Amino acid sequence: SIDSVSVFWAVMRGFGTGMMHGMCTFLVGSGFSFINKNKKLFIVGTFSLMSLAITYHSVFNMLVQSDFYYFGALLPIITFIPFAIARFKLAKEVKKNETV
């Protein structure tokens, strides 16, 4: 209800929403990069990536609107950390291979 909304909740929801959209974009973009190298996967890969983004989005929305809104706010942060670490390691490895 509108009575249970606070400024903290609105800021947390806004930050979580930004992170969630960033994660969806990152996952779909990384997936399309992979699909571009494997042309046979285009149709099934595109469907899978869109399904992943839709599912991630809906889980976030359901959690944020439930009594467990804090899990919804933490979901993008918790999923961002492993992907960011993997991305930085991959970039470091690519840079290392370029200098050799």
Side-chain angles (χ1 to χ4, degrees):
S1 75
I2 194 73
D3 296 332
S4 64
V5 175
S6 67
V7 172
F8 173 73
W9 180 87
V11 169
M12 186 176 69
R13 172 108 191 236
F15 181 75
T17 300
M19 288 285 294
M20 181 268 306
H21 282 100
M23 277 302 299
C24 286
T25 302
F26 173 74
L27 292 171
V28 171
S30 297
F32 275 133
S33 175
F34 178 76
I35 290 171
N36 194 33
K37 296 174 189 169
N38 301 302
K39 300 289 185 190
K40 290 188 272 187
L41 298 175
F42 180 75
I43 293 173
V44 71
T46 301
F47 178 78
S48 300
L49 290 169
M50 293 300 115
S51 297
L52 173 69
I54 290 167
T55 303
Y56 189 88
H57 207 127
S58 63
V59 168
F60 171 79
N61 284 336
M62 285 190 295
L63 284 172
V64 166
Q65 294 174 359
S66 73
D67 291 336
F68 304 104
Y69 62 89
Y70 41 88
F71 287 125
L74 291 175
L75 177 69
I77 297 167
I78 291 169
T79 55
F80 174 79
I81 292 169
F83 285 105
I85 291 170
R87 181 74 175 142
F88 286 126
K89 283 185 178 181
L90 179 64
K92 190 175 182 181
E93 187 68 30
V94 167
K95 190 172 186 173
K96 179 181 169 188
N97 288 338
E98 287 177 354
T99 58
V100 173

